[in-house]
Amino acid sequence: MSRTRHNRGSRLATAGITATAAALLAAALSPAAHADGRPTRAEAVGHAASAVADHAAALGLTAAQDTSVRDVIVDGDGTQHVRYDRTYRGLPVLGGDFVVHLAPNGAYRAADRATKQSISLPGVTPALSAPQAADLAARDLRAANRGETLRKLTAKPQLVVDALHGSPRLAWRTNAVAMDSLGNPVARTVVTDARTGARIDAWDSIETAAGDGASLYSGTVPLETTPSGSAYQLKDPTRGNTYTGDAANKTDLCIFGICVSRAPATLFTDADNHWGSGTTADRASAAVDAQYGTNATWDYYKNVHGRNGIAGDGKGSYNRVHYGNNYNNAFWDDSCFCMTYGDGDGTTFGPLVALDVAGHEMSHGVTSKTAALTYSGESGGLNEATSDIFGTLVEWYENNSADPGDYLIGEEIVRPGFGRPALRFMDKPSRDGDSADCWSSSVGNLDVHYSSGVANHFAYLLAEGSGARTVNGVSYNSPTCNGSTVTGIGHDKLGRIWYRALTVYMTSSTNYAGARTATLNAAKDLYGSGSTEYNAVAAAWSAVSVG
């Protein structure tokens, strides 16, 4: 990873990057030139370094700040987009990320910044100690779990500069983790003012689909496996060696944000390469669904968006099924680069391995490697909506007759005890009783699974349009907040626009107004300013009161 120190008022060029470092960077980012003449990822980083040096003042960079490359995208025409993180006097800056956009010849075009605050602090010595910050975060985690007795609770503070919430200030970002009374993991990230001890923000650290679940409804599906002696392993060598293992109904043990022991992921094996029975009586059946969901999500991102794996590096993730006892959730965890599925309690949810759940949770991994949308406020709603949108698009892409594409979230996993036919409804999110159909100034105060409704509603309108209609056998009736009539452009174009907005224009602090701008920029890039698609994006956002 390249690092450059920014000196006030001077051109920075390569700023002391050695030949060895440059060679390592080139090897890591791009081992070979593109056959079509486009810049390699390493070349894009070099172009961006020069651009950052020339435009340091406009990017708010000073001698006290460093940058590091998080992600690189090179378009088909050679246009380059390099995403950076920022530190101030060695401390990570929340909201310091930015994206530099370059022409095919490497010339600077523009930049998108998470925040445009000038960062200058009188010092970086906190008045609030680390143990005090840890104690405050632990209290917050207990409060978020309604006072339930938590076991093995630990909290690990990190000193940061917070530029996400108004004027930049010194803060503690503390990850608090524990186990609830059922042995399930709970975690919360708390941002605390390092001078006053006031809580700035907090959000759940385990990104979930709010009690998602899945039964075994995918039917008979193809699987790529790995021969091992006279048996087979549920490991796919064609998709980065993604694999699925059995958690044996155990849970993780995490201390100070680091998991010192994890539930196992004992690789499933089979004698005849015919896996599972389609019933919960066979533990391999849930594994089939999990592996299939991983495969479908991998294929969607690769074949539609050209992304090779969740992190874009061709490396596979892994799945754990049968996590905990009656665990009513599924989650993506960046620290293990893995998906974890509970079995559900059988009353409200079945096994949490449905296709759109897999697409949803794994898309949290894509978001973390790209825009890294903060998991609170409006950006948190956009984070959740991104996963709902791509989970839905994975389902449409796969075109499985046993679980056909729709605009319902988690419809396969709910049981009668849940009380409604799906977790969430994209055509009219308020059908779940909690989600927002339209933007308002208070929407950021909602739980992120409910503030996501605004973007989910936008996505449905952009894909299908407003009013009553039946799509793929499911009836919808999507209103607009401004009384307008919206004409859809199809779910394929929705996916292309949202993916480009996420990976090229959105940043950690993007809110709904910023998402409108990002998707309009994406539509302009893909289809042209003033095109039918561009105008549809504008109309769909206006229809949910954004802009």
Side-chain angles (χ1 to χ4, degrees):
M1 180 172 291
S2 68
R3 298 186 64 84
T4 304
R5 179 164 295 280
H6 301 281
N7 301 300
R8 185 181 289 106
S10 64
R11 191 182 188 284
L12 300 178
T14 56
I17 296 178
T18 66
T20 300
L24 290 171
L25 176 65
L29 292 176
S30 182
H34 290 295
D36 57 9
R38 289 182 295 142
T40 64
R41 289 166 63 88
E43 289 169 339
V45 170
H47 296 157
S50 296
V52 168
D54 289 339
H55 298 273
L59 293 168
L61 296 168
T62 67
Q65 298 180 39
D66 284 344
T67 60
S68 58
V69 174
R70 183 198 302 171
D71 193 30
V72 180
I73 289 178
V74 179
D75 294 340
D77 66 354
T79 301
Q80 301 142 60
H81 313 274
V82 181
R83 185 179 295 272
Y84 285 89
D85 288 312
R86 179 191 319 240
T87 61
Y88 175 83
R89 296 177 65 177
L91 301 179
V93 179
L94 307 185
D97 52 303
F98 60 93
V99 187
V100 174
H101 308 288
L102 307 165
N105 65 358
Y108 176 84
R109 282 184 172 173
D112 285 296
R113 294 173 58 184
T115 60
K116 295 186 178 179
Q117 300 278 357
S118 176
I119 302 173
S120 179
L121 304 183
V124 291
T125 302
L128 185 77
S129 69
Q132 289 173 317
D135 183 59
L136 291 171
R139 294 182 196 175
D140 193 282
L141 180 63
R142 291 190 185 97
N145 287 272
R146 301 175 182 176
E148 179 182 350
T149 300
L150 301 178
R151 298 182 295 109
K152 302 175 182 176
L153 194 159
T154 59
K156 183 180 180 181
Q158 179 187 29
L159 197 60
V160 299
V161 175
D162 173 41
L164 275 175
H165 307 87
S167 299
R169 53 187 152 173
L170 196 64
W172 289 104
R173 177 176 59 187
T174 306
N175 293 320
V177 299
M179 309 293 272
D180 66 16
S181 59
L182 296 176
N184 299 316
V186 292
R188 197 154 172 84
T189 298
V190 182
V191 181
T192 308
D193 191 309
R195 181 178 60 88
T196 67
R199 193 185 85 162
I200 299 171
D201 199 358
W203 57 87
D204 292 333
S205 301
I206 295 178
E207 294 168 332
T208 74
D212 303 8
S215 59
L216 308 178
Y217 289 133
S218 292
T220 301
V221 296
L223 294 171
E224 296 289 338
T225 62
T226 299
S228 177
S230 60
Y232 300 86
Q233 299 174 335
L234 195 52
K235 179 191 293 186
D236 189 339
T238 70
R239 296 179 176 90
N241 283 318
T242 57
Y243 71 90
T244 299
D246 194 333
N249 300 109
K250 297 181 180 179
T251 57
D252 299 333
L253 172 61
C254 302
I255 299 175
F256 295 123
I258 299 174
C259 291
V260 296
S261 69
R262 288 192 178 276
T266 305
L267 185 62
F268 278 89
T269 60
D270 189 85
D272 61 5
N273 216 18
H274 298 291
W275 304 79
S277 64
T279 70
T280 56
D282 187 336
R283 294 180 73 85
S285 298
V288 170
D289 281 71
Q291 186 74 17
Y292 171 61
T294 301
N295 294 351
T297 304
W298 178 289
D299 291 351
Y300 169 75
Y301 278 109
K302 183 174 183 179
N303 297 335
V304 176
H305 302 299
R307 187 178 190 85
N308 190 22
I310 297 304
D313 58 3
K315 297 178 181 178
S317 55
Y318 69 92
N319 303 308
R320 299 182 298 181
V321 296
H322 307 303
Y323 180 88
N325 290 300
N326 299 324
Y327 186 52
N328 274 339
N329 225 325
F331 60 89
W332 169 268
D333 187 343
D334 274 325
S335 67
C336 63
F337 205 66
C338 69
M339 263 298 306
T340 301
Y341 300 90
D343 289 322
D345 59 12
T347 301
T348 53
F349 299 104
L352 288 90
V353 287
L355 182 57
D356 59 352
V357 173
H360 172 110
E361 299 300 346
M362 293 177 70
S363 292
H364 278 306
V366 174
T367 297
S368 75
K369 295 296 184 181
T370 55
L373 289 158
T374 301
Y375 205 61
S376 68
E378 291 191 16
S379 59
L382 287 165
N383 189 317
E384 272 299 315
T386 293
S387 284
D388 279 351
I389 290 167
F390 285 127
T392 294
L393 293 173
V394 167
E395 197 176 70
W396 279 102
Y397 170 83
E398 194 62 17
N399 195 28
N400 186 324
S401 61
D403 185 8
D406 53 49
Y407 296 97
L408 309 175
I409 307 301
E411 74 284 354
E412 299 290 352
I413 66 177
V414 296
R415 297 293 182 266
F418 186 65
R420 60 177 187 263
L423 287 173
R424 291 186 287 281
F425 309 85
M426 298 181 75
D427 64 323
K428 188 177 181 182
S430 62
R431 288 174 62 193
D432 67 12
D434 293 297
S435 294
D437 292 335
C438 311
W439 182 87
S440 71
S441 59
S442 63
V443 77
N445 297 327
L446 297 175
D447 179 277
V448 294
H449 296 95
Y450 305 139
S451 60
S452 64
V454 178
N456 281 344
H457 192 191
F458 158 82
Y460 176 86
L461 289 170
L462 184 60
E464 301 294 341
S466 57
R469 68 191 67 238
T470 299
V471 182
N472 223 16
V474 179
S475 297
Y476 303 97
N477 192 354
S478 189
T480 58
C481 306
N482 61 356
S484 64
T485 299
V486 176
T487 301
I489 58 174
H491 52 75
D492 288 341
K493 289 181 177 178
L494 159 66
R496 290 184 174 91
I497 290 169
W498 197 270
Y499 181 80
R500 183 164 180 83
L502 176 74
T503 58
V504 174
Y505 294 109
M506 291 185 186
T507 66
S508 59
S509 68
T510 295
N511 57 13
Y512 273 111
R516 177 187 172 107
T517 299
T519 49
L520 283 171
N521 283 336
K524 179 175 64 176
D525 293 346
L526 294 168
Y527 305 107
S529 180
S531 63
T532 297
E533 293 81 1
Y534 182 93
N535 293 336
V537 170
W541 277 124
S542 295
V544 296
S545 300
V546 177

